[in-house]
Amino acid sequence: MTRYEEFDSLRGLAALIVLIGHYLMVYPSYADYQYGSSSSSNMIYLFKETPLRLFFSSGNESVILFFVLSGFVLYLSVNSAKFHYSTYLIKRVFRIYIPYLVAIGMAILAKMLLSQIDLPYITDWFNKSWTGPDTPSLLIEHLLFIGQYNTDAYNNVIWSLVHEMRISIIFPVLIFLFVRKKLKYSLLWLFVLIFSSTIFLYLFGSGGDITSIFLSFHYSTLFLMGAIIAKYRHGLFSYTLKKKKPVKIALLLGAITCFMYEGIIGEVDFLNNYIFRDYVVSFGVCIFISMSVCSQKISTVLRSRLLTLLGKISYSLYLYHLISLFSLMYLFYNKLPTGLILIFSFFLSFLLSSASYLLVEKPCMRLGSYFTRNKQEKVISKDHIALKRKIG
């Protein structure tokens, strides 16, 4: 299976953008920002409604990038000649669930140890986590992982992992049903699913939980976008490669514009609802995916040593940056300036992420490969025995 290192780097940059956005959420002026408000500071305006938004306020957009990229990568795995559903599922469990368990265990432990420290009100976003009781049912719900529960309790980024795991389980079936041999039929089914998921969300999903099944239906269409790009990648990448430099620049600017859609539309509620916004952003992500491979300059930057390293630890960075932030805020809020706490938390996040990658993620991936290799060897052995009996 072809591995695109550029995509790892895109994940790393997306995880870093999520981190930056979350760290700024400890400031009320940022967390409570209203589009078009004259009372907001110029600095927050720059972060929210100018091109700086790309780096300082694109957390949700980065999650959309995760979903589309997951669809691309999973399609390549499912479409492999060696694909077995059990092997696929075991690897997904070891890749996503086991590192999640370790991280959520650390978040629960840190919360139990540190949340006894009294903190003044910081922001609504901050105070949604580490403030509720640790009930047995809440702990069991976090252990089960793919259900519908309060994902803000310990580590609020895990809401996206619930959808990731849930969609991963059924993704091979989705590919079989909806990604067809001809592109026009794949796109037709995609539009049907987008329309259906939108209707379901409007009818049943308004005000629903962030891990609702209706949202999983919605996000599955983003996975399928990635799968369609993966299926037709050779033609798409070849077509994009042939484009002249001005066209490539226009495509990149178009992708950035889509990624900044929320800040551009601002207070226009009808156009800035999360469903429509997700699809505009995902269209930009599709362009990013193509340009990351087809633009030599972009590809070279994304393949740089620093960004590939960031890509390797991106999952752990996503899992641990809030544990670092909440822990240090509880420990030092009344003792150090908030900005200094954020700087310390930034470096601690990378330290924890690097340790998690080396001590948790890599061993889990090796274990996943080990268990599936044994399973494949058993299947091959049974096939040989059956063949010998048939010949005999």
Side-chain angles (χ1 to χ4, degrees):
M1 184 176 73
T2 305
R3 184 173 185 84
Y4 296 93
E5 292 184 357
E6 295 89 346
F7 298 168
D8 293 333
S9 296
L10 284 177
R11 278 200 193 89
L13 289 170
L16 182 60
I17 289 170
V18 170
L19 178 152
I20 292 170
H22 279 158
Y23 281 20
L24 291 174
M25 287 292 283
V26 303
Y27 293 104
S29 57
Y30 181 92
D32 302 329
Y33 180 82
Q34 297 291 323
Y35 291 107
S37 174
S38 58
S39 61
S40 300
S41 71
N42 291 332
M43 181 61 72
I44 304 303
Y45 169 80
L46 291 174
F47 286 174
K48 289 285 188 176
E49 298 192 54
T50 75
L52 288 177
R53 175 184 179 84
L54 193 66
F55 306 101
F56 293 99
S57 192
S58 296
N60 182 70
E61 291 82 349
S62 296
V63 173
I64 301 305
L65 185 146
F66 291 148
F67 288 156
V68 177
L69 279 178
S70 288
F72 186 104
V73 174
L74 291 182
Y75 174 84
L76 297 183
S77 175
V78 172
N79 198 50
S80 168
K82 298 179 180 179
F83 174 76
H84 294 282
Y85 180 74
S86 58
T87 298
Y88 161 85
L89 191 58
I90 289 170
K91 286 187 174 181
R92 293 308 288 168
V93 167
F94 276 93
R95 183 71 187 96
I96 297 175
Y97 181 61
I98 305 302
Y100 155 82
L101 275 184
V102 176
I104 204 64
M106 288 188 64
I108 292 170
L109 179 62
K111 187 260 182 183
M112 289 178 174
L113 292 174
L114 300 174
S115 64
Q116 307 305 318
I117 302 172
D118 289 330
L119 278 185
Y121 170 83
I122 297 177
T123 65
D124 287 337
W125 173 84
F126 187 91
N127 285 73
K128 283 194 299 184
S129 301
W130 289 28
T131 53
D134 303 303
T135 63
S137 61
L138 182 63
L139 296 175
I140 291 171
E141 286 168 345
H142 277 78
L143 179 65
L144 295 178
F145 183 52
I146 61 173
Q148 188 167 313
Y149 57 97
N150 178 19
T151 53
D152 288 328
Y154 301 109
N155 190 348
N156 65 44
V157 301
I158 65 173
W159 70 269
S160 67
L161 302 181
V162 172
H163 294 293
E164 177 92 24
M165 194 67 198
R166 189 184 285 162
I167 296 168
S168 292
I169 291 171
I170 64 168
F171 194 63
V173 178
L174 296 179
I175 289 176
F176 176 77
L177 292 176
F178 303 118
V179 180
R180 315 308 296 171
K181 289 183 179 180
K182 292 186 177 181
L183 176 59
K184 62 181 180 180
Y185 295 123
S186 295
L187 293 177
L188 176 62
W189 273 114
L190 178 64
F191 288 128
V192 168
L193 291 172
I194 287 174
F195 179 77
S196 302
S197 68
T198 301
I199 295 299
F200 272 104
L201 281 172
Y202 273 116
L203 292 179
F204 309 111
S206 59
D209 190 89
I210 197 169
T211 57
S212 76
I213 199 72
F214 298 111
L215 272 178
S216 289
F217 185 11
H218 166 62
Y219 290 132
S220 68
T221 62
L222 307 184
F223 274 68
L224 286 172
M225 284 185 188
I228 292 172
I229 293 175
K231 181 176 178 61
Y232 300 101
R233 64 192 181 281
H234 297 302
L236 175 63
F237 292 166
S238 176
Y239 176 80
T240 308
L241 271 170
K242 294 175 183 177
K243 293 300 177 183
K244 295 182 179 180
K245 186 176 180 180
V247 176
K248 290 182 179 180
I249 292 174
L251 285 172
L252 184 60
L253 291 176
I256 292 171
T257 301
C258 290
F259 215 67
M260 293 174 51
Y261 178 78
E262 180 180 349
I264 293 171
I265 295 300
E267 71 275 11
V268 184
D269 292 337
F270 175 73
L271 295 174
N272 209 358
N273 68 83
Y274 72 94
I275 301 172
F276 187 64
R277 185 176 67 230
D278 284 354
Y279 288 121
V280 174
V281 171
S282 62
F283 181 72
V285 168
C286 292
I287 300 175
F288 275 137
I289 289 174
S290 181
M291 292 300 296
S292 67
V293 176
C294 299
S295 169
Q296 185 176 352
K297 289 185 178 179
I298 295 175
S299 177
T300 300
V301 171
L302 291 175
R303 284 175 171 269
S304 65
R305 187 174 180 180
L306 181 63
L307 289 184
T308 52
L309 177 61
L310 181 63
K312 286 180 180 179
I313 66 169
S314 59
Y315 183 39
S316 288
L317 186 63
Y318 190 69
L319 285 172
Y320 285 90
H321 72 274
L322 286 184
I323 301 174
S324 171
L325 174 65
F326 288 128
S327 297
L328 294 190
M329 286 291 286
Y330 271 94
L331 285 170
F332 299 114
Y333 185 73
N334 292 317
K335 302 171 185 176
L336 295 173
T338 300
L340 193 58
I341 295 173
L342 295 183
I343 292 172
F344 287 152
S345 181
F346 181 85
F347 287 107
L348 179 59
S349 294
F350 277 87
L351 181 63
L352 290 172
S353 302
S354 300
S356 171
Y357 174 71
L358 293 172
L359 302 177
V360 180
E361 282 193 70
K362 288 186 73 174
C364 281
M365 287 187 280
R366 284 196 294 266
L367 278 173
S369 297
Y370 172 77
F371 286 121
T372 54
R373 184 171 63 248
N374 284 357
K375 189 176 185 66
Q376 287 174 329
E377 288 172 355
K378 288 178 182 178
V379 170
I380 292 171
S381 178
K382 287 180 180 178
D383 289 342
H384 279 303
I385 292 171
L387 183 61
K388 286 180 179 178
R389 285 177 179 173
K390 185 179 287 188
I391 293 173

